């Protein structure tokens, strides 16, 4: 019974993480909008920013990894490798979200010290997409954090019985 419960919890957390990373990737890749400011037309899309490219790449890697691990999670021989890779994916997601959030904050609020104006007033649809992708990314990172804590609990409980 306990093993079945562990497997169900792990699969549910992995499905949540997979769905969140897939959603974040799709929403960010489809985010684009054009605007005209002072008779100058500009286009806002994720590929204009190296930080957003890093974010999409990290989310796509996590999506692919999540899909592969969903099929491998029943194999006992790769459990330790999966736990290590879960930690790596959680770290990659956290770093990419942090970087993308910093750029999104500058896009939303600007930076008066550097003279950067906010752009979200001109391209609100793009900013809404980025916000949605970042929220999905946070959900994925939290799912991997909980998954890591749960895996740690499962591995350490037999070593240190209460």
């Amino acid at each position: 019974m306990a093993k079945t419960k562990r497997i169900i919890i792990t699969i549910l957390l992995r499905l949540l993480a997979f769905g969140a990373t897939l959603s974040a990737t799709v929403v960010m890749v489809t985010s684009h909008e054009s605007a005209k400011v002072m008779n100058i037309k500009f286009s806002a899309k994720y590929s204009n920013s190296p930080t957003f490219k890093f974010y999409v790449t990290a989310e796509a890697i996590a999506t692919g990894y999540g899909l592969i691990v969903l099929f491998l999670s029943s194999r006992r021989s790769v459990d330790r490798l999966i736990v290590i890779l879960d930690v790596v994916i959680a770290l990659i997601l956290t770093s990419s979200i942090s970087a993308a959030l910093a750029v999104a904050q500058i896009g939303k609020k600007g930076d008066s010290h550097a003279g950067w104006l906010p752009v979200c007033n001109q391209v609100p649809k793009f900013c809404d997409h980025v916000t949605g992708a970042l929220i999905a990314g946070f959900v994925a990172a939290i799912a991997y954090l909980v998954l890591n804590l749960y895996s740690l609990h499962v591995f350490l409980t037999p070593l240190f019985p209460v």
Side-chain angles (χ1 to χ4, degrees):
M1 181 68 179
K3 184 177 180 180
T4 306
K5 182 180 175 184
R6 181 181 63 87
I7 291 171
I8 290 172
I9 291 172
T10 303
I11 288 176
L12 288 176
L13 285 170
R14 291 198 182 284
L15 283 173
L16 176 65
F18 173 73
T21 55
L22 181 63
S23 298
T25 304
V26 170
V27 170
M28 187 64 100
V29 167
T30 60
S31 63
H32 55 82
E33 187 176 7
S34 296
K36 199 172 198 179
V37 177
M38 296 178 0
N39 289 332
I40 299 172
K41 186 176 181 179
F42 74 96
S43 178
K45 51 188 169 182
Y46 88 94
S47 59
N48 292 344
S49 168
T51 305
F52 287 157
K53 286 181 188 178
F54 170 56
Y55 178 75
V56 167
T57 303
E59 294 290 332
I61 288 169
T63 302
Y65 168 76
L67 184 63
I68 291 168
V69 170
L70 275 172
F71 292 111
L72 291 178
S73 62
S74 62
R75 303 236 167 89
R76 190 76 177 144
S77 61
V78 293
D79 275 353
R80 291 176 196 248
L81 178 63
I82 288 174
V83 169
I84 292 168
L85 291 176
D86 283 347
V87 171
V88 171
I89 292 295
L91 293 173
I92 290 171
L93 288 176
T94 304
S95 67
S96 70
I97 290 167
S98 299
L101 189 60
V103 170
Q105 177 69 14
I106 290 173
K108 184 174 177 104
K109 302 283 185 181
D111 187 352
S112 60
H113 299 291
W116 296 334
L117 299 173
V119 297
C120 283
N121 296 336
Q122 285 78 32
V123 286
K125 181 181 162 192
F126 173 74
C127 289
D128 291 343
H129 272 243
V130 170
T131 301
L134 288 172
I135 290 170
F138 272 113
V139 170
I142 290 169
Y144 272 106
L145 173 67
V146 172
L147 188 61
N148 285 327
L149 291 174
Y150 186 70
S151 297
L152 186 65
H153 170 72
V154 168
F155 279 118
L156 291 181
T157 300
L159 297 176
F160 303 104
V162 178

